Amino acid sequence: MFRNRDFLARIVADTLPPHHHPNIAFIDADNVWKSFEQRIVGCGLSNDDLQHFEFSRLFNLLTHDRCYVYCAVPENKPKPSWLAHLERTEGFILKTGRLVRRRSGAKQEGVDVKLAIDATRFAFSNIMKTCTLYGADGDFIPLVEAVTEAGTLVNVASFNNPEQGEVAPRLRAAADRYIHLNRFWLYETLSEGKSTVHNRPNYFHEWRSSE
């Protein structure tokens, strides 16, 4: 009898989804997009070639259960196409702030605060045990220190090269791991069915089907 009960318990356990703490991504979207765009152009491509890359694929290379996207949106204007695409993509949740015009230029308001509140709340409520922060803004140093103190493993990922002094040493030290998004990551964001031929020294790219 007990043997049958144990057997039934194993069957039920096998049918239940495994419980785990989700791996969540927090994306400083505007800054990461600008770096993404600059790196592609820096590879010798033009702005027109951006159509061959999918920004959302950049965040698929690390396994995330959910991606929170933080970005300021101008009032009474449509979202940029890259941001609208992220919002439509499964697994991405958009959280917006305001884009305020000032003499020095446009400035995001409420974006970093929302990101910090969500990450801190998830960490201290034990919702997550691992997270990845996309963006290397030095203003995130207190956030990373607080989240790691809560027992959460924190990855920081950005296009900034720490070997060239583009990442604050304190930010890199506070994170459990820093991930440099280099050109290999860019290649992985190519749209499906696309590949490149790179002819040196002219940096000429011919787009063609990968088949």
Side-chain angles (χ1 to χ4, degrees):
M1 178 178 179
F2 290 103
R3 182 177 300 175
N4 291 338
R5 182 180 298 173
D6 292 341
F7 178 71
L8 179 61
R10 286 198 300 271
I11 293 177
V12 173
D14 290 340
T15 60
L16 294 175
H19 175 75
H20 70 286
H21 293 283
N23 184 337
I24 296 177
F26 301 96
I27 304 168
D28 184 10
D30 186 63
N31 288 329
V32 177
W33 166 256
K34 288 178 180 176
S35 296
F36 178 76
E37 190 176 30
Q38 290 170 0
R39 294 311 189 276
I40 290 177
V41 174
C43 290
L45 302 174
S46 67
N47 288 325
D48 293 337
D49 290 322
L50 285 169
Q51 63 180 312
H52 299 295
F53 295 83
E54 292 184 24
F55 186 48
S56 61
R57 293 170 68 90
L58 182 69
F59 311 104
N60 293 338
L61 298 177
L62 298 177
T63 303
H64 303 302
D65 296 286
R66 186 177 298 162
C67 295
Y68 288 95
V69 181
Y70 301 83
C71 190
V73 177
E75 295 183 0
N76 303 321
K77 289 185 179 181
K79 299 183 183 73
S81 58
W82 63 268
L83 186 60
H85 180 266
L86 275 185
E87 187 178 22
R88 294 192 302 268
T89 303
E90 183 178 354
F92 289 83
I93 298 175
L94 177 61
K95 297 203 170 187
T96 60
R98 292 195 310 149
L99 193 63
V100 180
R101 299 288 179 180
R102 296 182 178 176
R103 291 182 180 179
S104 57
K107 181 177 178 60
Q108 296 189 104
E109 282 192 354
V111 175
D112 291 354
V113 172
K114 286 185 178 182
L115 190 158
I117 290 175
D118 286 346
T120 304
R121 177 166 55 88
F122 289 173
F124 281 91
S125 60
N126 205 32
I127 292 177
M128 65 182 183
K129 285 300 183 183
T130 304
C131 71
T132 301
L133 171 63
Y134 287 88
D137 193 327
D139 292 341
F140 288 131
I141 292 174
L143 168 63
V144 174
E145 291 176 341
V147 172
T148 54
E149 287 176 5
T152 300
L153 296 175
V154 179
N155 303 312
V156 173
S158 84
F159 288 98
N160 295 6
N161 188 345
E163 304 304 325
Q164 297 179 2
E166 298 174 348
V167 181
R170 187 177 163 194
L171 177 63
R172 191 178 183 187
D176 293 283
R177 181 172 61 150
Y178 180 80
I179 303 170
H180 179 207
L181 306 178
N182 53 29
R183 293 186 179 187
F184 295 103
W185 290 69
L186 289 179
Y187 185 82
E188 294 298 329
T189 65
L190 278 169
S191 302
E192 292 185 9
K194 293 291 183 181
S195 64
T196 62
V197 176
H198 187 182
N199 297 324
R200 296 173 183 247
N202 297 321
Y203 290 92
F204 170 76
H205 292 254
E206 176 191 349
W207 300 101
R208 67 178 186 182
S209 171
S210 60
E211 296 179 357

